[in-house]
Amino acid sequence: MNPSVETNTSKKIEYLSPPAPVSMSDGYFQIAGTDHFWVQKRFGVLQQLADGIMKDSAEIAEIGCGHGLLQRQVEDEYGKRVTGFDLNEYGLKHNVSRTSRVCCYDIFQKDDEFRGKFDAILLFDVLEHITDEDGFIQAILYHLAPAGKLVVSVPAGQWIYSGYDRAAGHVRRYSFGTLRETTERNRLDVEKWSYWGLPLLPALMARKVLTASKKDAGEAYSSGFDSRSALLNSTMGFISKLEIIPQHLAGTAVMAILKRRPT
């Protein structure tokens, strides 16, 4: 069974907040699995930029955990649990993590249990869905330990914003410059960063053309993200590895490690 659609029956979802709609296509949960080339590449970049942070952190959380692909990858690679927060009940019910805590939780609720608890918080492919970046980041920082690190990954290249992005619920794509503007407003410093996915840029340019005529959101999302076959997935995985990380030229995404600015 595709791990992206495996129903979560092995552990209980903790309902700390009621489920709520989010600006996120359920199509992602139906397509993406831990074997998807893009999911594997993203985790590889995390390892290259933040391996020490992942090894040293006692408490790790993921905001927007969805169906738990990143939680599962961290469990398998580092042997650590990742507390997962999301409001999308469909994603949570299909969460594939094995040992991690899975919570339906609104971070604006700011439960006392989580005040300054986490040494590392992972925010992967979430910020681009959020209209109020600053309010959202401040809510996240409530949960981060004073010396903790926030690891963010967002799609890059507003110039390749397409029908796929609209179908996915993306408000924007980023450059490192626009991401840094956001972090500086919130008194966060960039410790390390990299673009990633540079070899995949031609594919995203083609995706922009391909999805331009798609009027159905589900069709636009599927045509833009589904790797379609094991051979194509393997080929794209090979191509995606043809870059050195970190690199500051360009890419389909940008990842950054953030820390609080000293007061």
Side-chain angles (χ1 to χ4, degrees):
M1 180 179 290
N2 187 327
S4 67
V5 295
E6 181 181 328
T7 302
N8 179 354
T9 58
S10 61
K11 55 187 174 299
K12 183 178 179 181
I13 299 169
E14 298 180 44
Y15 286 92
L16 308 178
S17 307
V22 298
S23 178
M24 174 73 183
S25 170
D26 285 347
Y28 173 76
F29 306 128
Q30 297 162 3
I31 296 171
T34 52
D35 59 346
H36 192 285
F37 74 89
W38 178 85
V39 174
Q40 292 184 342
K41 174 64 177 180
R42 185 182 66 171
F43 187 67
V45 177
L46 171 67
Q47 290 179 282
Q48 288 170 290
L49 290 185
D51 186 64
I53 292 171
M54 300 306 295
K55 289 177 178 176
D56 295 342
S57 295
E59 293 284 352
I60 305 172
E62 182 187 5
I63 307 293
C65 65
H67 60 331
L69 301 185
L70 184 56
Q71 290 174 285
R72 176 72 165 265
Q73 288 173 312
V74 173
E75 289 172 351
D76 290 347
E77 180 64 27
Y78 294 100
K80 295 191 174 187
R81 296 185 176 99
V82 178
T83 301
F85 299 129
D86 209 312
L87 290 172
N88 186 311
E89 192 173 32
Y90 181 90
L92 294 172
K93 284 183 175 180
H94 294 82
N95 189 286
V96 298
S97 64
R98 288 174 172 152
T99 60
S100 294
R101 190 175 178 185
V102 177
C103 304
C104 186
Y105 173 65
D106 183 348
I107 62 170
F108 287 94
Q109 189 170 306
K110 297 182 179 178
D111 279 11
D112 287 342
E113 174 190 359
F114 302 124
R115 182 194 296 268
K117 178 175 181 176
F118 298 103
D119 305 304
I121 294 179
L122 308 176
L123 186 69
F124 279 24
D125 300 292
V126 174
L127 195 58
E128 68 273 14
H129 297 268
I130 306 300
T131 302
D132 179 13
E133 296 169 291
D134 296 349
F136 191 72
I137 290 173
Q138 289 303 312
I140 290 173
L141 293 179
Y142 170 89
H143 303 76
L144 188 67
K149 303 296 173 64
L150 174 60
V151 187
V152 178
S153 186
V154 290
Q158 185 63 27
W159 62 277
I160 49 175
Y161 188 93
S162 67
Y164 163 82
D165 292 282
R166 288 187 290 273
H170 295 174
V171 179
R172 69 190 76 78
R173 299 180 72 91
Y174 289 82
S175 65
F176 172 66
T178 57
L179 180 60
R180 183 170 55 186
E181 288 172 6
T182 300
T183 62
E184 287 181 346
R185 287 197 309 269
N186 290 279
R187 299 190 58 78
L188 291 167
D189 289 330
V190 178
E191 185 173 273
K192 190 183 295 185
W193 72 278
S194 180
Y195 283 116
W196 62 273
L198 177 59
L200 301 175
L201 275 176
L204 263 69
M205 294 168 65
R207 182 174 73 184
K208 182 172 183 177
V209 175
L210 179 66
T211 59
S213 61
K214 304 291 185 183
K215 295 183 179 180
D216 179 80
E219 185 182 359
Y221 188 88
S222 178
S223 63
F225 191 75
D226 193 349
S227 54
R228 291 177 174 78
S229 72
L231 177 60
L232 180 57
N233 188 65
S234 178
T235 301
M236 295 298 285
F238 173 78
I239 293 172
S240 71
K241 294 176 182 178
L242 300 178
E243 69 178 330
I244 297 173
I245 301 295
Q247 58 93 356
H248 296 168
L249 297 175
T252 62
V254 58
M255 189 179 295
I257 300 171
L258 310 174
K259 60 181 180 180
R260 285 188 175 89
R261 185 172 301 158
T263 55

